[in-house]
Amino acid sequence: MTDHDEKGPSNFIKHIIDDDFRNKKNDGRVHTRFPPEPNGYLHIGHAKSICLNFGLAREYNGLCNLRMDDTNPSKEEAEYVASIIEDVRWLGFEWDDRLFYASDYFEQLYQYSVQLIRDSKAYVCDLSADEIRETRGTLTSPGQESPYRNRSVDENLDLFQRMRAGEFEDGTKTLRAKIDMTSGNMNMRDPVIYRIQKSSHHRTGDAWCIYPMYDYAHCVSDSIEGITHSLCTLEFEDHRPLYDWFLNELNIFLSQQIEFARLNLDFTVVSKRKLLQLVNGGHVHGWDDPRMPTISGLRRRGVTPSAIRNFCDKIGVAKADSTVDIALLEYCIREDLNRHAHRVMAVLKPLKVVITNYPDEETEEMEAINNPEDLGAGTRKVPFSKVIYIEQDDFMEDPPKKFFRLAPGREVRLRYAYFITCVDVIKDDTGEISELHCRYDPKTRGGDAPDGRKVKATLHWVSAEHSLRAEVRLYDRLFTKPNPDDPRDDADFKMYINPDSLDILTDCRVEPSLAGASAGSRYQFERLGYFCVDPDSEDGKPVFNRTVTLRDTWAKLQKAHKK
Ligand code: ATP
Ligand code: MG
């Protein structure tokens, strides 16, 4: 793997595949798989693996299987299987009729183990889990051989069959591979192949009470499916000799395991176990909470599949672990939405403005551009009338020097409408500003003054009478610390949950064109960011999730680096 350096580390797997082609390995076939364990919802880390596996298959005219790695009945559920299928498909990948389950191979896996026993390569061991651990040795000292290691083939066959028949209690016996208790690689010290676990499996029910261990089930499943390149994350590097051992001893198709660095993203956690704690502890409102780094959470937040795919392309595939700046993901989201999302006007914190010289009963239809990045997206009409709302933040009674928006006596542009000048500030009994009185210049219709005079700000607005009330949910990072699950930190990662990660605004106003917008529709609210219609929306009361703001911190960072 030294010849990839000049091309950069991001395509070292392609180099391996190219070499395999040259060497006519696997008859030029490329067959990958994505093998999630259905014990939680998929997250952005999985998206990297999905894009890599399905992407390579696509690029090399090969195939990629979707395989549920369902060998642990106690943690797996059908709900997770359904969510995985939905998420991979939503990301844009297809597996035709190649949806497999490791549990489909239980009989075959059992028969292969019988073969290992016959070849004196496996034995039934009566040591408890604790005893096995205690006799495994350490990195610097060898392990001890089990007293059961030299059972006869016949005794092993009999005991293994009786394990399957349910004669023994959980934890009283295991089937172990007979390899080398002195190996420098701990994984090779007679690893467990089967354990007894009398629990129902979500697919096989009570047919089995012994279940294969991951290291055994995974490589054999790969081999059964004819997987040529079995891509997994770096923590499996030390397991590779065992992967190869099983396939060599069984003399079956030799899939090749290749390890790559997992994706870590800052300000979040990418571990199903930890995400489950967030869900179960009520820290978020479910797996698809828009603050979650899950695929379903990102989808609900308004992120597009192509933004995720682009992100995965950009981060590349390397051999060394690293953490990706979440600003890069946000950049990819923005880049995609900028091209496709229609612009609309919405006011999150409304301030009433009465245009005193505008006719009382009049309504005008202002022409607004749907997407300046895509003029083919056309225009729409936005109603304008005497009473409008602008953003509270867009007005200051006593503005500092650098504030160019509305202030007493100052003129600004209303997007697609008129220039207005603030002539009066009306306050309630408590001294809070309740409304502004402005005058408009009828000659500035459309947003330009015929005499060429300029204004320094353009504000978004909605007509009070015509706008719809909406709820808007603003999300911030889920954690306050870039690396909440730093292994060097003893504190629980949940200590760093951002208490302000969700801000719900219930009295927002959006332009009437948004009436009836369906869940999942994405928009740019002018000057505010990208928003997506949440499934919690009701007729006449839409709910929007803020996907991302317009502020591009990534581009800024890149510029700073170049300087
Ligand atoms: P978790 O730690 O979240 O439970 P996992 O690796 O146990 O993750 P699996 O369902 O076993 O989850 O993963 C399916 C595939 O996705 C595996 O091939 C795994 O290597 C890959 N994968 C999981 N997390 C990441 C990640 N952060 N980056 C890249 N690939 C990942
Ligand atoms: Mg796993």
Side-chain angles (χ1 to χ4, degrees), residues 533-552:
V533 181
D534 190 84
D536 283 349
S537 298
E538 283 168 29
D539 247 3
K541 179 84 196 265
V543 176
F544 292 91
N545 295 315
R546 182 171 69 196
T547 312
V548 66
T549 62
L550 295 175
R551 220 172 332 121
D552 184 2

Side-chain angles (χ1 to χ4, degrees), residues 34-37 43 45-46 49 231 233 260 262-263 270-272:
F34 172 64
E37 184 182 354
H43 52 62
H46 293 112
S49 178
L231 313 180
T233 37
F260 65 95
R262 61 191 297 120
L263 166 67
V270 278
S271 145
K272 281 179 283 185

